[in-house]
Amino acid sequence: MRLHRLSITAFGPFGATQEVDFDALSSAGLFLLHGPTGAGKTSVLDAVCFALYGAVPGARQSPGASLRSDHAPVDLPTEVQLELTVGGRRLEVTRSPAQPRPKKRGDGFTMEKAQSRLRGYDPERGWHALSKSHQEIGEELTQLIGMSRDQFCQVVLLPQGDFARFLRSDAEARGKLLGRLFDTRRFAAVEERLAELRRGAEARVTAADERILALAQRIAQAAGPVGAEATPVAARPGEPGLAEAVLEWAAIARSTARERLDIAHRVVAWAEGRQREARHALDAVRELARLQQRYEETRLRSAALEERRPEHDRCQKELERARKADRVAPALELREEAERAYRAASDGLGRARALLSPELRDVGADRLAELERKFQQELYALDAAREAEERSARIEGERVRLNREAQADDELIREADVWLADWDTTRAALKGRIDASQEAATRAEQLAGLLAPARRRLDAAGRRDALATDVQQAEERLTGAREQELDARKSWLDLRERRLRGIAAELAAGLVAGEPCTVCGSADHPVPASPGDGHVDRATEERALAAQQSAEEARARAEQQLGLVRERHAAAETEARGDDASASSTVAELGELVDRLTGEHAEAHRLAAATNPAREALTAAEREHTERLEQRQEAHGRMSARTAAREALDAEQARLEEQIAAARGESPSVAAHAERLTRRVARLADAAEAVRTEQDAAQRRKEADDRLSDAAFRAGFDTPEAAAATLLDAAAQRDLQHRIDTWQAEAAAVADRRAERDAREAAEQPAAQPSAAQGEFETAEWLLREASSALAAADERCGELTRLSRQAADEVRRLGPVRQEYERIARLAGLAAGTSADNERKMRLEAYVLAARLEQVAAAATARLQRMSSGRYTLVHSDARTGGRRAGLGLHVVDAWTGSERDTATLSGGETFFASLALALGLADVVTEEAGGVRLDTLFIDEGFGSLDDQTLDEVLDVLDSLRERDRSVGIVSHVADLRRRIPVRLEVVKERQGSSVRHRLA
């Protein structure tokens, strides 16, 4: 990774934009970043870290702190832009933190969100945008650099103070720093996972033991008194031997319960025999008591039956007389019906005579009929007068109709005159509409010819823009495919080289004793080569080759896809230009053109569509013109005809009035006179009919009296009234018959029961005592229930104990694998946590990994420390335990002058500086190798040089200067004045009132 250019705007102490040219500073290999305290030397490094990771180093990223410069104008946004080369790619990353900005409207500020932009450089295309997403940019840069922010701050921005503390700190503090740099969280996660698995397995074992104890408690509850005879289980959950104790205790409880069950069976058999004997005795006593009670009931029913005999005889006689009276019932009903008809006829005659005049109320039916015929003849004579009166009324209606028609014709003539007066103007307007519609049709055809090409250009422009994105994506895929091909080819070549180095072992694997070697031809193979660490076989190389060929094919497909997309993009661009090949229109411009042409075409089409309606309107207007002329002429003719009709109606009306006046008499009209005559005729007819009806009803009543007297005499009654008094309805007769039948049925039943011999014999014996037999039976029943309950309880207890014992045995079988798994996991967790007796040094897994890393760092740091200390000091890793602490992260220094090994905390200030510098450079090499071998071409060392003497300073600078052999550039951050003389290339940070600024001092 090499830094090229850094631009800082309104960041930290820098109020304006400052440019740092790392290419110019790195040309000498070693440059100095100096300036007074507080000028902003470290802020330059913070800007580099912020551009790459979106945050400054952790020690200076305090909560609530703002990266914006207090010296910057309010309208100048904070921004950091860094240009660098990493992973073979030239990139430019620009970041802006969240910051307040002035509102566009009104006063005050609004918070602007953080922004990030990433651009890439292509020799053919120049700078082009890659992403604007914080997440995508962060992932891309972290993947290319191969280090996290903490690793970068320790490896590239070497903070000497941190490493000096690292030398003096204890194992726990070193473990935190190394864990953050080498990301050993996965090993800590393994420890935590093993501990979690151990807790889970322990919980499962405890849960299984608790389930077994719960089953033991349920067995004790099910055993009841039986369980008290066995020794209870005293083990607790998790203790060994719990399962076996529970199974043994359950077996004892089952055996005791089975003995109790056999005893209960014998007790139930004895109780059942006693209950059967008591049941037979109780049944015999109950039968005797039943027969004695039956005989007594028969005697009582016989006495009661004799008491009801007189009532039975009375009901029988009353029923016989009622049945004789039934033969007189039809004559009685006929007499009552004749009486009702006579009364109705008498009432109707009274009402009809009340409607007649006083002199006609006592006349007979013949006189009333004669008067009815007279008035009827007068009514017939009024028919002609009624017709004349109706015709007179119709004449008035005809006059009204003629007046209404005259008004309608007058209105029609006025409307026709008004419409015809505007006829010329209307016809001219309709012809104008037809001409305008024809012109619009011609315009619509022209616009349709322009609209189709414009739409095709718009569609092509949309495809062109979409294909532009596809071209960019295809280029990105091609770039990724090329990188994957290079990586695959590099991996294959590396594996091939490693295989060639170990080819002797591969050939030795095919040697057979007694057969010649394919290389030297000898049949003796005294010392065949053996595979070393990391040996690569033929299959691994072939898989790598296949992966490289697959990546090459993917790259070829990506190139082909890019060519196809570019061709489609060019075709869409050509189609979007259309006839105008000089300029390329945007989608928005072509959309506006299509919308304008569409609107104009729609308007012209709408106007053209009105041609036929306009022609139809003209034809309809001409037709209406002709019709109105005809209607006006016809209306004038109807007016003349109505005048003659009015005169004829007047003459006819006068003649009819004379005829009506003669016929109506004193009535207001002929119809009223006819209605009065009609009512009189109807009253006379009703009165005559009522007289005849009353006479007929009187005759029928007399005939009914005669027939009733004859029927009563034949039925044996002295008078019809006696027969009517004896008559009973059907319900009363059914009630009497029911009483008679009930008495006779009771008499038959009593006679049958008197004939029963067993009842008579039982009555001769002493009175039965069922209560004593019942008491004996209930005692036997209670004993049987108690014995049965005891048997059921014993049987249920045995079944429940068997079921629970089976469940306990199943739980014990399931517990076996769980306990084995727990013991295995607990052993692994103890080893990883350093608490197991098998872990002699009590080292945790993460500490063991970090110890290996620290050993590598010490070895890499020693190479530089010996040069800085003139071969005196060597850093070594120690895994010895100190006090009661765990081992693994000790760091000692070996003094070649004295041959002693001591702790790094005993070094002096200057010795601590170059030891920490060597440690930092060694750590940078190890972390770089850990990150996949990413080349770090730019390093920064922050402070600590003031504690060195001149000789040591020269040695340290020689070591740093040797880094240029690897084409590296090292920037020293210091305010030591002597370094300005020794290092000619400098970047000076100047502290000013309006904000700090940077100045380049090049040799």
Side-chain angles (χ1 to χ4, degrees):
M1 182 189 73
R2 178 178 294 277
L3 306 182
H4 298 292
R5 182 182 59 84
L6 176 66
S7 176
I8 308 173
T9 303
F11 182 87
F14 304 102
T17 300
Q18 303 296 323
E19 298 283 344
V20 179
D21 189 354
F22 286 111
D23 287 337
L25 295 173
S26 301
S27 60
L30 189 65
F31 63 91
L32 177 65
L33 176 59
H34 69 98
T37 302
K41 301 185 295 298
T42 306
S43 295
V44 175
L45 307 183
D46 291 346
V48 173
C49 183
F50 177 73
L52 293 176
Y53 295 97
V56 298
R60 294 183 289 279
Q61 186 73 38
S62 58
S66 175
L67 300 179
R68 179 169 175 79
S69 175
D70 296 333
H71 302 283
V74 294
D75 57 346
L76 181 64
T78 299
E79 183 179 86
V80 176
Q81 186 179 84
L82 177 64
E83 184 179 338
L84 72 158
T85 297
V86 59
R89 299 173 61 186
R90 187 75 172 257
L91 300 175
E92 180 190 82
V93 58
T94 305
R95 292 187 188 269
S96 298
Q99 55 188 309
R101 64 166 177 82
K103 293 183 178 179
K104 296 180 180 180
R105 296 181 180 178
D107 300 332
F109 292 85
T110 183
M111 184 57 67
E112 184 82 14
K113 294 182 179 179
Q115 298 181 4
S116 300
R117 298 187 301 277
L118 180 64
R119 297 199 303 167
Y121 181 77
D122 190 334
E124 297 179 358
R125 300 169 52 197
W127 289 102
H128 57 280
L130 296 178
S131 177
K132 292 184 179 181
S133 170
H134 298 294
Q135 182 177 0
E136 291 180 359
I137 295 173
E139 293 176 354
E140 180 73 13
L141 292 177
T142 302
Q143 183 177 3
L144 290 174
I145 298 172
M147 289 181 285
S148 65
R149 186 187 65 174
D150 291 336
Q151 291 175 325
F152 179 84
C153 294
Q154 293 289 341
V155 174
V156 180
L157 311 179
L158 302 177
Q160 297 306 304
D162 289 352
F163 284 97
R165 286 190 296 272
F166 181 81
L167 290 173
R168 296 188 179 94
S169 60
D170 56 8
E172 183 178 358
R174 288 173 184 162
K176 291 182 179 179
L177 176 61
L178 293 175
R180 189 170 67 250
L181 290 176
F182 292 104
D183 193 15
T184 58
R185 289 174 296 180
R186 59 187 182 276
F187 300 103
V190 169
E191 295 178 21
E192 180 61 29
R193 178 58 178 166
L194 287 173
E196 182 181 351
L197 291 176
R198 180 183 61 188
R199 290 191 296 269
E202 184 178 6
R204 289 193 292 274
V205 171
T206 303
D209 284 347
E210 289 177 351
R211 289 195 296 271
I212 293 174
L213 277 179
L215 287 172
Q217 294 175 359
R218 292 174 60 187
I219 291 173
Q221 293 175 358
V226 175
E229 300 177 3
T231 303
V233 179
R236 305 180 67 84
E239 296 180 0
L242 172 65
E244 292 75 10
V246 170
L247 293 179
E248 181 180 357
W249 183 82
I252 295 173
R254 290 198 305 275
S255 177
T256 306
R258 291 192 186 97
E259 294 177 358
R260 297 290 183 89
L261 180 62
D262 294 339
I263 295 173
H265 275 294
R266 289 192 291 271
V267 173
V268 167
W270 171 80
E272 287 177 346
R274 179 173 177 178
Q275 188 264 353
R276 283 194 298 272
E277 294 175 358
R279 164 62 69 182
H280 294 327
L282 178 61
D283 291 342
V285 172
R286 284 179 175 175
E287 180 63 18
L288 178 60
R290 184 186 69 80
L291 293 174
Q292 290 177 350
Q293 183 178 2
R294 182 177 179 83
Y295 183 80
E296 182 63 21
E297 289 176 355
T298 302
R299 186 182 64 78
L300 295 176
R301 288 173 61 183
S302 176
L305 187 64
E306 290 300 324
E307 291 178 358
R308 295 200 307 273
R309 183 180 292 276
E311 182 182 0
H312 166 261
D313 296 340
R314 179 186 62 79
C315 290
Q316 193 167 12
K317 291 178 180 180
E318 186 176 353
L319 180 60
E320 291 176 355
R321 290 180 56 83
R323 287 175 177 172
K324 291 180 180 179
D326 287 342
R327 295 195 293 270
V328 187
L332 284 172
E333 292 177 358
L334 183 60
R335 171 64 175 75
E336 291 177 357
E337 183 179 356
E339 180 64 26
R340 287 194 299 272
Y342 175 75
R343 286 197 296 269
S346 297
D347 295 340
L349 178 60
R351 289 192 299 273
R353 289 185 181 276
L355 296 176
L356 299 177
S357 57
E359 64 275 10
L360 298 177
R361 291 178 181 174
D362 296 329
V363 298
D366 297 336
R367 176 58 180 165
L368 292 173
E370 180 182 356
L371 292 174
E372 177 191 356
R373 287 191 295 274
K374 175 183 177 183
F375 290 131
Q376 187 67 41
Q377 292 175 356
E378 292 181 5
L379 186 59
Y380 291 155
L382 291 177
D383 288 342
R386 276 204 302 269
E387 293 177 359
E389 190 174 42
E390 292 174 358
R391 174 58 183 163
S392 177
R394 287 197 300 275
I395 289 173
E396 290 296 331
E398 291 178 2
R399 285 177 177 173
V400 172
R401 178 181 58 79
L402 291 174
N403 292 335
R404 187 167 55 252
E405 291 176 354
Q407 292 177 358
D409 287 340
D410 292 341
E411 183 66 24
L412 187 147
I413 291 171
R414 283 196 300 272
E415 290 180 358
D417 292 340
V418 172
W419 192 90
L420 292 172
D422 297 334
W423 165 242
D424 294 335
T425 303
T426 302
R427 182 171 57 183
L430 293 174
K431 288 183 177 181
R433 284 176 56 190
I434 294 173
D435 296 339
S437 300
Q438 292 175 348
E439 293 177 359
T442 303
R443 174 62 178 165
E445 293 178 359
Q446 296 174 353
L447 290 173
L450 297 175
L451 183 58
R455 286 176 174 168
R456 288 194 297 271
R457 290 182 63 193
L458 177 59
D459 295 340
R463 294 196 306 275
R464 175 197 64 195
D465 295 346
L467 289 171
T469 303
D470 295 343
V471 169
Q472 182 179 358
Q473 295 176 353
E475 291 174 349
E476 294 175 355
R477 289 194 294 271
L478 177 58
T479 302
R482 286 173 176 171
E483 293 177 354
Q484 293 178 1
E485 180 188 7
L486 292 175
D487 294 341
R489 183 173 182 83
K490 180 180 178 183
S491 176
W492 170 61
L493 292 175
D494 180 60
L495 293 174
R496 180 177 179 82
E497 183 180 356
R498 289 166 58 188
R499 181 186 172 217
L500 291 176
R501 286 198 299 267
I503 195 67
E506 184 176 342
L507 293 174
L511 294 177
V512 180
E515 295 183 4
C517 175
T518 59
V519 178
C520 65
S522 175
D524 297 330
H525 316 297
V527 186
S530 59
D533 295 338
H535 174 68
V536 177
D537 57 6
R538 181 184 184 87
T540 303
E541 181 191 354
E542 289 179 350
R543 286 195 298 272
L545 177 60
Q548 187 268 336
Q549 293 174 350
S550 176
E552 184 178 0
E553 294 175 358
R555 188 261 306 159
R557 288 195 299 271
E559 290 178 348
Q560 183 181 6
Q561 184 66 25
L562 177 60
L564 293 175
V565 174
R566 283 177 174 172
E567 290 179 2
R568 289 199 294 270
H569 179 265
E573 175 68 22
T574 302
E575 186 177 357
R577 292 178 184 273
D579 297 335
D580 186 6
S582 60
S584 177
S585 301
T586 64
V587 174
E589 294 173 349
L590 292 175
E592 293 177 358
L593 176 61
V594 170
D595 293 341
R596 179 174 58 79
L597 292 177
T598 301
E600 294 178 359
H601 178 266
E603 180 64 21
H605 189 271
R606 184 184 63 79
L607 294 175
T611 302
N612 290 333
R615 289 175 177 171
E616 293 175 357
L618 178 60
T619 302
E622 291 176 347
R623 185 168 55 252
E624 185 178 0
H625 175 261
T626 302
E627 291 175 354
R628 286 185 179 271
L629 288 176
E630 294 175 354
Q631 289 174 359
R632 184 175 63 177
Q633 184 176 0
E634 291 174 357
H636 284 295
R638 288 194 298 271
M639 291 176 66
S640 300
R642 277 193 296 273
T643 302
R646 284 195 186 94
E647 294 176 354
L649 290 174
D650 292 342
E652 185 180 3
Q653 181 73 30
R655 186 177 64 258
L656 292 174
E657 287 293 338
E658 293 177 358
Q659 183 179 355
I660 292 169
R664 68 188 178 189
E666 298 177 356
S667 299
S669 64
V670 175
H673 185 59
E675 184 180 359
R676 184 169 61 84
L677 289 177
T678 300
R679 287 197 300 271
R680 182 175 294 178
V681 168
R683 291 172 183 173
L684 291 173
D686 292 342
E689 180 63 24
V691 171
R692 287 192 292 270
T693 300
E694 191 270 342
Q695 291 175 353
D696 294 340
Q699 181 62 30
R700 286 195 297 274
R701 184 179 63 174
K702 182 177 182 302
E703 292 174 354
D705 288 338
D706 296 339
R707 283 196 295 271
L708 177 59
S709 298
D710 185 60
F713 177 75
R714 285 197 299 270
F717 293 99
D718 297 335
T719 60
E721 289 76 9
T726 308
L727 187 65
L728 296 176
D729 56 11
Q733 291 185 21
R734 284 195 300 273
D735 181 62
L736 292 175
Q737 185 63 49
H738 177 70
R739 292 179 185 180
I740 294 169
D741 295 341
T742 300
W743 190 91
Q744 292 176 351
E746 179 68 10
V750 169
D752 292 340
R753 293 182 67 170
R754 280 183 174 276
E756 295 175 353
R757 185 179 66 182
D758 53 354
R760 288 198 306 273
E761 293 176 354
E764 295 173 356
Q765 296 181 12
Q769 299 294 330
S771 57
Q774 180 68 30
E776 179 64 23
F777 174 74
E778 290 177 356
T779 300
E781 279 283 328
W782 177 81
L783 291 174
L784 179 59
R785 285 196 302 271
E786 290 296 322
S788 299
S789 298
L791 175 61
D795 185 65
E796 182 179 2
R797 182 179 297 111
C798 287
E800 183 68 11
L801 289 175
T802 302
R803 184 180 65 82
L804 293 175
S805 298
R806 189 180 301 112
Q807 291 182 6
D810 294 341
E811 288 291 341
V812 171
R813 282 194 298 273
R814 286 193 291 268
L815 176 61
V818 175
R819 185 174 291 278
Q820 293 176 1
E821 180 185 5
Y822 165 68
E823 293 173 354
R824 183 178 66 256
I825 293 175
R827 184 169 59 255
L828 290 176
L831 286 173
T835 60
S836 174
D838 298 333
N839 192 335
E840 297 178 357
R841 298 187 179 276
K842 303 300 181 183
M843 292 179 63
R844 294 172 48 243
L845 177 61
E846 183 182 13
Y848 178 78
V849 176
L850 292 177
R853 290 286 188 263
L854 182 58
E855 188 174 359
Q856 295 175 356
V857 171
T862 297
R864 294 184 175 87
L865 180 59
Q866 288 181 343
R867 290 187 59 186
M868 295 179 187
S869 63
S870 300
R872 179 179 179 181
Y873 294 118
T874 301
L875 285 175
V876 295
H877 163 253
S878 174
D879 55 4
R881 299 179 63 185
T882 58
R885 299 180 180 177
R886 298 182 181 181
L889 297 179
L891 190 64
H892 291 173
V893 61
V894 178
D895 191 346
W897 289 1
T898 62
S900 63
E901 180 178 338
R902 53 195 172 95
D903 194 273
T904 54
T906 62
L907 294 173
S908 64
E911 292 171 342
T912 299
F913 168 73
F914 60 69
S916 63
L917 177 59
L919 186 65
L921 294 174
L923 181 64
D925 292 340
V926 175
V927 173
T928 300
E929 184 179 358
E930 174 79 9
V934 176
R935 182 178 177 85
L936 301 177
D937 298 317
T938 306
L939 298 176
F940 295 91
I941 302 175
D942 190 2
E943 287 301 343
F945 293 88
S947 60
L948 304 179
D949 55 30
D950 292 341
Q951 181 180 356
T952 306
L953 181 60
D954 289 338
E955 293 175 350
V956 170
L957 292 179
D958 289 341
V959 172
L960 296 178
D961 192 57
S962 67
L963 297 176
R964 290 189 296 174
E965 298 174 359
R966 304 180 186 180
D967 197 20
R968 284 183 177 177
S969 61
V970 180
I972 298 176
V973 182
S974 178
H975 57 275
V976 177
D978 190 42
L979 290 175
R980 303 176 194 172
R981 177 180 57 80
R982 296 173 182 266
I983 303 176
V985 179
R986 302 188 301 275
L987 177 66
E988 182 180 3
V989 182
V990 180
K991 183 166 58 175
E992 300 174 347
R993 179 177 296 274
Q994 66 274 15
S996 299
S997 60
V998 298
R999 299 175 184 175
H1000 296 74
R1001 306 294 186 183
L1002 305 178

